[in-house]
Amino acid sequence: MKEIRQLGRHSYVFSPYLEPIASVQPGEEFVIYTKDAFEDQMVSEQQKPTEVLGEYLNPQTGPVYVEGAEPGDTLKVNIIDIQPTRDWAVSLFIPFFGGLTSTHATRTLQEPLPERVFIYKIEDGWVTHNNRLRFPWRPFLGTIGTAPFLEALSALTPFDHGGNMDVPDVKPGNSVYLPVNVEGALLFTGDCHAGQGQGELCGVALEVAARSTLSVELIKGKKVRWPRIESVEEYMVVGSARPMEDAARIAYTELVEWMTELGWDKWEAYQALTQIGDCYVGNMVDTYYSMVAKIRKEYVHP
Amino acid sequence: MKEIRQLGRHSYVFSPYLEPIASVQPGEEFVIYTKDAFEDQMVSEQQKPTEVLGEYLNPQTGPVYVEGAEPGDTLKVNIIDIQPTRDWAVSLFIPFFGGLTSTHATRTLQEPLPERVFIYKIEDGWVTHNNRLRFPWRPFLGTIGTAPFLEALSALTPFDHGGNMDVPDVKPGNSVYLPVNVEGALLFTGDCHAGQGQGELCGVALEVAARSTLSVELIKGKKVRWPRIESVEEYMVVGSARPMEDAARIAYTELVEWMTELGWDKWEAYQALTQIGDCYVGNMVDTYYSMVAKIRKEYVHP
Amino acid sequence: MKEIRQLGRHSYVFSPYLEPIASVQPGEEFVIYTKDAFEDQMVSEQQKPTEVLGEYLNPQTGPVYVEGAEPGDTLKVNIIDIQPTRDWAVSLFIPFFGGLTSTHATRTLQEPLPERVFIYKIEDGWVTHNNRLRFPWRPFLGTIGTAPFLEALSALTPFDHGGNMDVPDVKPGNSVYLPVNVEGALLFTGDCHAGQGQGELCGVALEVAARSTLSVELIKGKKVRWPRIESVEEYMVVGSARPMEDAARIAYTELVEWMTELGWDKWEAYQALTQIGDCYVGNMVDTYYSMVAKIRKEYVHP
Amino acid sequence: MKEIRQLGRHSYVFSPYLEPIASVQPGEEFVIYTKDAFEDQMVSEQQKPTEVLGEYLNPQTGPVYVEGAEPGDTLKVNIIDIQPTRDWAVSLFIPFFGGLTSTHATRTLQEPLPERVFIYKIEDGWVTHNNRLRFPWRPFLGTIGTAPFLEALSALTPFDHGGNMDVPDVKPGNSVYLPVNVEGALLFTGDCHAGQGQGELCGVALEVAARSTLSVELIKGKKVRWPRIESVEEYMVVGSARPMEDAARIAYTELVEWMTELGWDKWEAYQALTQIGDCYVGNMVDTYYSMVAKIRKEYVHP
C-alpha cells in the first residue's frame, strides 16, 4: 500500500499553488502520516507554549493529487483506519486561544488565562493524564480538505473546502465529501486527535501524530458546496462561519439541499429536520466556528 | 394528587407580578395541564397561521407558588411523566419565524417563506403526518422557568430564569434546576412538544396539549445562575443568548462552575470538557438561542 | 410649567404594570427630573462600585401618562433642553461590564478589569477629570422609552420600545418617535449623559442628574416599529439587537421603510442608503447593542 | 511620475506568491490605475449581473514591491489624489449579496432580491442616476492592503492586512498604515468608489475605474497589527471580523493601543474613548464586516 509522508517542509496553508507530494487513484487505499498540530514540538509539561510555538502551526500532509479529479467534481474520502504513531497525546492552554477566553478575534483588555501543557499516555484504548483526566481513544482527523480555487487558506481555518473543522465525526468508518476546486483536487490532512469533546473548548484537543488509512472516490460533475459526512447511520453537513448561528444556518440549509437531492420536497425536508435533526458544535475556537447538522438515515429513507 | 389547571387567562409572561394559581409543597407530586403554544387554536391544515394567531402566544400554566422558596434558593423540578391530552400534534411554518428565514430580529428585504400547517396523528408511540414525516413520541416541556426578579419576560424568551429554552432534555426522568428570584419561586410551564430536533429548525416543534406529572425540591441558600439539567447519566447546563457563541460560552462556563462545586479544579474541568464535553443547539429560532453543554457523570466521578 | 419628579421609589423596569406618576397633554411642555444611572450613589473616587451598587440600577422617572395615547399610535417626544442639576458627572469601570471585557453575556474564565471611579467637574461647557480627560458638555438622555405591551423590561435594556439605547442623538433639538403599546403610552426616561462617545465603550458615560424640558405629540393610528429620531438635518432609526449586525439590519431596514412612507420606491431607498447613508454604534455594552442608521434630509427631499 | 498599470491578468487575491508588477521607493509619488470591481464589464442597465459576472471579482492592481520593506515594518500609504478615468459609475443589486438580504454566509431558504444595474453619470462633482439618486463625488479606495504572511486571501476579504475594507476614510488627504508581512510589502489596491455610505448597504458602492496618486513611507521595525488611518484631524483603526461586535472590539482595542504608543495610560485611553471616541460601520456586506473606531487628535494631544 502506498505510504505518504510529507517531503520537506509541511503545508501550513490549503493552497492551490503548492506542488503535490504524491498522487493517488480513485479506489486506491493508501496510508498517510501526519505530525501533530504543533509539529511534534510540545513534548513535556515543563515547556511553555509561548516559548516553543511560532508562526508555523497545524502542519498538513499534502497536497495529494487525485488522478482524474477536475473542478466541479466531488471528492469522497473514506476514513478506514487511524493509528497513533506514538504512545502519548498532548493538550495545551495557549494564551488568548480557546472558547472561554478573549482571543485575537474577540478582543478585550483582560489578561490571558495561564498557559499549561497536559501530557497524556495512550494505552489500552484510553488516553490518560491522571485519574480524573482519562478518556477513551476516539481518534479522528481534525483537519482535512481540498485546495480552494484562488485562495491559500491557513491550515487553522475551516471553510467550505473543509480544513480545520475539528469535527469528531471525521472518524474511521465514515466518509467525507469535499469539493474539487482545482485539477487533482489537492487533498491535505493533519491534526489527528486522540479524542475531543464537542466544541474543542480550550482550543486544543488530544493532539497526536498518526498513521491513517484512507481511500478516495470521485463523484464526477457534481460539486458539494460544503463538506458532508456520511456514516453508516447518518447524513451530516459541516458549516463553518461566524457568528455561530451562521454556521448552523449553512449546515442545516445544505442538509435540506442534500435531502432534496435524495428525492425530498424542500419544505418537507425543512419540517423533518425541525422534528428529528441534530446539530452540535464541532469547534468554537477556530477562525470560523464549525457546526454539524445531521439526520439519521432511517428518517431520510423511511 | 393535586391537579393544576390555569384559572382564567393564561400567563404570557414570566412575571413576578402575577397572582399564583396554585401552590405546592417541596416533595409533593402534582399534575399540571398545559395548552399548546398556540392556545390549541391551530387545528386544521386549512387554517392560515397569520389569520389565526395574535399577540398572545405560548400560554403558560402558572405561576405556581412553591412553599418555602426564598430568593437565593434553587428550585429542582423533577419531570416524572408527560402524557398528551389529545391524539394529535401540530407544526407550522410562520412567516418571518424560524432558523432558515430572515426574522423580526434578523431583518432583510426578502419575501417570507410560505406559511403552512402540518397536523400529526399521535398513535402507538409515533407522531405521524405522512409516510415521510413520521417520528417517535419523545415528549418534553419546551418552556419551563421561574419568575425573574424585576422583569416580566415574554413566554417566547429563554434566559437565565429558564423560559422558552426548547431543550429536548427537559424530559421525563430528568430534573431541571432553576433560580429562585422571588418568594415562592413562581414556577411556570407550558409548550409541550411531542418531539423536536436540535435547533427547532422551522421554529415550531410537534406542539401538543399535555398533562405532566412533576415534583419540586428546594436547595436552600444556593442559587444557580443558569438552568441546569440532570439525567441519570449526565450533567447539563443551558445558556441562552445571542449570538449563538455567547450561549455556548455561558453553558460551558457554568458547567465548569458546576464541576468545581463538585470538587474539581477549575483548570482541570476546562481541560476535561475540552476532551469529553458535548454541546448541542436547543433552539436557533427564539429571541435568544439556547445551547446545552453537558458531560457524562462517569467522567465527573471517575 | 409642570415639573415631574419621581414619587417614592424609581422605576427600574419599563413596565405596563406600574401606576403613572404624572400625566401630560400632547403639546404641553414639561420638565422632568432624573437621577443618574447609579441613583446618585457614586460620589467619590474612593468608593468601590462593587461595594456600593446593588440590583437596582438605572432609575427611571416615570411612567408618565400621555393623555389620549392609544395602542397603535406613535409618541413623538421633543427634547427641548437638558440642564445638569449638579456640577459634576461620574464614570466607572465596573467588573465584567463594558465593551472591551468579557461580561455576563459574553462569558470567559478570565479575571475582570480593575474597577475604578472617575469624577468629572462640569464647568464652562466642559466636563473635566484632569487635563487629559476633558470633554465638551454634550448632554443627551441615555434612556427613554414607552412601556412594552406585555413585558416589563429592565431599564438596562434597549429594544423596540426605546429604553437604554445610549444614543447621543437623543439630544436637545431632536425628536424621538416611540411606539405606543398601551393606553397612555407610559413614558419613562433617565440616565442623562453629560457626553458619550459612540459605543459607550467602558459601559459608563459621563453620568449626571438632570432637569430636562420635553414636550410630546401624538401621531394617531400609526405606530413606529422601532425608535426613530429626527433632527433638523437628518432622519435616523435606532435598532437594538445582538449580534451587532442584526441591530444594523433593523436600523437600515426601518430607514428604508421610513423613506417609502415619505414616497420613495423601496429599491431606490435601498440604493440611496448604500451610497449616502450613515451608520454608527450607539452602545456596544448593553443587553442589546444599539445601532443608528441615518440619512441627511437633503437626500430624501432632493 | 511612475505610472503603474496591471500587466496581464489582474490580481484577485492578496497573495505573497505573486510576482510584483512594479516597484516603488519610499518617498516616491506614483500613479496607479485601477479597474472597477467588476473588471469594467457592467456597462449597461440592460445587463444582468448573474449573466456577466464570474468568479474573478474585485481586480487589484499589484503587487507593488516597496524597496526596503521587510517583515516587521509598517507601510504608510499616503493617498494624494483620486481621479476617475471615465465619466460614469455603476452600482448593482446582486442576488444573495448585500446587507439586507440573506447571503452565502447567512443562509436562508428565501428567494433572492431582484437583480438590477444602476448607471450613474459623473459630472461637476456629482454622481447622478436620476433626480433622486444623486450624490456628491467623494472618492476613496475600497480595497487596499499588503500581502499576508502565508495566506493568499480573496480580494473580496478585509482582514488585518487591509484588503476589501470599504472604509470611506481611505480617501485623498489621509494616510493608511498597513503591516509589512513579507519582503517588499507587496501592496495591492483597487475597487475605487465614487462615493459610498457607511455600511455599503446593498454591497455595491458607486464603482468606478480610477487613476490614483499615492506615495509610500516605511516605519522600520514596528508593525501595526491592524490597519490604521490618519487624517489631519483624526486617528482611526479598522477592525474586520464577524460578528460585527468583534470588529468593533478589534478597532477600539487597537485604538487604545495606539494611544498608549502616543504616551497615554491604557485605562485613561479606555475612559477617553468611552466619552469621545466614534465608531462607524465601514461595510456590513463583505466576508468580514469592517468597523472604524476613531478619536479626534485634539483629545489625544490636549
Side-chain angles (χ1 to χ4, degrees), chain A residues 100-122:
Chain A
L100 297 184
T101 174
S102 61
T103 67
H104 295 292
T106 303
R107 297 278 293 274
T108 75
L109 297 176
Q110 289 163 288
E111 296 298 312
L113 301 181
E115 55 184 326
R116 187 154 159 190
V117 180
F118 297 84
I119 301 289
Y120 286 80
K121 181 84 181 165
I122 303 174

Side-chain angles (χ1 to χ4, degrees), chain B:
Chain B
M1 194 153 37
K2 187 176 294 180
E3 301 217 334
I4 301 174
R5 283 184 176 79
Q6 194 68 19
L7 310 171
R9 198 91 200 240
H10 275 75
S11 299
Y12 304 95
V13 277
F14 281 72
S15 170
Y17 308 113
L18 295 169
E19 283 302 304
I21 61 164
S23 71
V24 295
Q25 296 286 341
E28 178 186 357
E29 261 187 43
F30 59 96
V31 164
I32 191 161
Y33 287 84
T34 54
K35 288 199 174 182
D36 79 16
F38 309 112
E39 300 214 279
D40 301 346
Q41 295 180 92
M42 298 302 309
V43 300
S44 150
E45 300 188 350
Q46 273 60 56
Q47 290 173 301
K48 286 201 156 195
T50 50
E51 291 172 2
V52 177
L53 302 177
E55 296 181 288
Y56 294 93
L57 290 165
N58 206 19
Q60 301 298 303
T61 302
V64 176
Y65 188 97
V66 178
E67 299 290 344
E70 296 167 301
D73 296 343
T74 289
L75 182 69
K76 183 181 181 185
V77 183
N78 304 303
I79 301 166
I80 297 163
D81 184 54
I82 298 177
Q83 295 298 329
T85 57
R86 65 190 191 204
D87 65 355
W88 56 277
V90 61
S91 180
L92 309 179
F93 290 165
I94 300 173
F96 296 124
F97 182 60
L100 298 183
T101 174
S102 61
T103 67
H104 295 291
T106 303
R107 296 280 292 275
T108 74
L109 298 175
Q110 289 163 289
E111 296 298 314
L113 300 181
E115 55 184 327
R116 189 157 159 187
V117 180
F118 297 85
I119 300 288
Y120 287 79
K121 182 84 181 163
I122 302 173
E123 197 173 30
D124 299 332
W126 287 83
V127 187
T128 307
H129 173 76
N130 61 23
N131 62 359
R132 292 173 301 284
L133 298 172
R134 175 173 159 79
F135 312 110
W137 164 251
R138 302 184 300 165
F140 72 97
L141 294 167
T143 309
I144 190 168
T146 50
F149 166 53
L150 275 174
E151 292 189 295
L153 292 175
S154 166
L156 297 169
T157 291
F159 199 57
D160 56 8
H161 68 297
N164 193 26
M165 300 181 285
D166 289 317
V167 162
D169 274 299
V170 182
K171 68 182 181 184
N174 292 358
S175 298
V176 182
Y177 296 84
L178 298 166
V180 178
N181 301 304
V182 297
E183 193 195 300
L186 300 187
L187 177 70
F188 301 74
T189 193
D191 191 26
C192 185
H193 294 169
Q196 180 205 294
Q198 292 174 351
E200 200 184 16
L201 192 60
C202 81
V204 184
L206 300 165
E207 308 291 333
V208 71
R211 175 190 189 281
S212 301
T213 309
L214 310 177
S215 71
V216 293
E217 300 171 53
L218 283 175
I219 299 162
K220 297 297 293 180
K222 170 147 190 41
K223 185 167 89 164
V224 292
R225 273 189 288 194
W226 283 87
R228 298 176 178 183
I229 304 173
E230 186 175 354
S231 72
V232 174
E233 297 188 328
E234 292 176 320
Y235 295 117
M236 300 174 244
V237 177
V238 186
S240 296
R242 288 192 179 205
M244 196 181 277
E245 55 265 35
D246 274 356
R249 287 166 176 146
I250 290 168
Y252 261 134
T253 304
E254 287 291 325
L255 193 46
V256 168
E257 174 68 17
W258 197 353
M259 288 173 73
T260 62
E261 293 169 18
L262 294 169
W264 279 69
D265 169 77
K266 177 167 76 167
W267 305 117
E268 287 205 346
Y270 189 33
Q271 173 65 206
L273 291 171
T274 300
Q275 311 310 349
I276 207 73
D278 284 326
C279 189
Y280 73 85
V281 184
N283 90 75
M284 53 188 280
V285 298
D286 297 323
T287 49
Y288 290 114
Y289 306 128
S290 294
M291 298 295 290
V292 182
K294 59 183 184 172
I295 185 169
R296 293 180 64 81
K297 290 180 175 176
E298 66 202 74
Y299 296 107
V300 179
H301 311 287

Side-chain angles (χ1 to χ4, degrees), chain C residues 16-28:
Chain C
Y17 308 113
L18 295 170
E19 284 302 305
I21 60 163
S23 72
V24 294
Q25 297 285 343
E28 177 186 358

